[in-house]
């Protein structure tokens, strides 16, 4: 089960608004501004893989999506990609990506063709990539983060839920 960004049960907030704060081991992963793919490849000593759970068109909305994207973009049909990021064959991160249909008309259209290739490697290969917002949430026994990225002024939302297996592991 990969949680959805717009799930109404998720409460996304700026990290400074959370009380209690995430433990330090979780904050390391939650607040890192670099490429998660690069960090996981390094942490797993190259034993990294992407397992696609689902890819499909999605349409719906939530207060969180409206807050991030505005009502017009939040109500658009979006490309949804759910994956499991694995290190040493073990699930480490559950990830959900939403790309508004209008964003697919630019470079982000390549997201639909990634298959089992990591999104982070694609995104961070573009020097014009901007992360304009990062929020966190707590779900069951793990923490997640949601980033609003922009590439050529076109938004893409990426949520990553870090599993205890990653935070507690030694590669």
């Amino acid at each position: 089960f990969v949680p959805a960004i717009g799930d109404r049960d998720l409460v996304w907030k700026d990290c400074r608004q959370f009380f209690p704060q995430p433990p330090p081991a979780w904050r390391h992963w939650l607040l890192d501004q670099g490429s998660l793919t690069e960090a996981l490849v390094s942490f797993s000593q190259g034993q990294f893989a992407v397992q696609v759970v689902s890819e499909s068109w999605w349409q719906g909305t939530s207060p969180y999506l409206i807050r991030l994207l505005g009502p017009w973009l939040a109500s658009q049909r979006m490309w949804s990609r759910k994956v499991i990021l694995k290190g040493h064959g073990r699930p480490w991160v559950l990830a959900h990506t939403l790309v508004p249909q209008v964003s697919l008309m630019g470079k982000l259209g390549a997201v639909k063709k990634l298959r089992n290739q990591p999104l982070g490697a694609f995104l961070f290969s573009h020097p014009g990539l901007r992360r304009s917002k990062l929020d966190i949430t707590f779900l069951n026994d793990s923490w997640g983060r949601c980033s609003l990225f922009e590439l050529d002024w076109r938004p893409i939302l990426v949520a990553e839920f870090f599993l205890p297996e990653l935070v507690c592991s030694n590669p």
Side-chain angles (χ1 to χ4, degrees):
F1 167 72
V2 178
I5 295 170
D7 186 332
R8 292 180 186 272
D9 293 335
L10 295 176
V11 178
W12 296 101
K13 298 184 207 177
D14 184 282
C15 186
R16 295 168 294 205
Q17 295 175 320
F18 258 95
F19 184 81
Q21 286 284 297
W26 292 89
R27 274 199 306 271
H28 163 77
W29 292 103
L30 288 167
L31 303 179
D32 182 57
Q33 293 288 318
S35 166
L36 178 61
T37 298
E38 191 175 296
L40 292 175
V41 167
S42 175
F43 192 65
S44 68
Q45 299 158 341
Q47 299 296 308
F48 172 78
V50 176
Q51 176 188 337
V52 177
V53 174
S54 70
E55 290 184 294
S56 63
W57 287 105
W58 177 86
Q59 190 156 12
T61 192
S62 73
Y64 182 66
L65 291 175
I66 291 170
R67 183 166 45 107
L68 282 183
L69 299 172
W72 181 75
L73 274 179
S75 65
Q76 270 197 12
R77 192 167 77 137
M78 298 189 204
W79 185 251
S80 171
R81 180 176 190 250
K82 292 184 175 185
V83 300
I84 301 171
L85 306 179
K86 296 181 173 184
H88 300 282
R90 298 186 309 261
W92 278 356
V93 179
L94 307 176
H96 182 215
T97 301
L98 285 176
V99 189
Q101 187 170 356
V102 69
S103 293
L104 294 169
M105 294 178 200
K107 293 174 186 166
L108 289 172
V111 171
K112 287 181 67 179
K113 300 173 187 159
L114 286 175
R115 294 182 178 68
N116 65 347
Q117 298 302 306
L119 173 67
F122 166 75
L123 288 178
F124 283 87
S125 71
H126 292 89
L129 180 72
R130 294 180 333 144
R131 178 181 269 152
S132 59
K133 180 77 173 141
L134 188 141
D135 291 319
I136 66 169
T137 193
F138 185 76
L139 178 68
N140 300 328
D141 59 349
S142 67
W143 289 86
R145 69 181 185 179
C146 185
S147 299
L148 173 62
F149 289 100
E150 292 179 349
L151 185 58
D152 296 337
W153 303 102
R154 296 179 187 268
I156 179 173
L157 290 168
V158 181
E160 297 142 337
F161 299 87
F162 301 93
L163 301 175
E165 178 83 18
L166 167 66
V167 177
C168 302
S169 70
N170 294 313

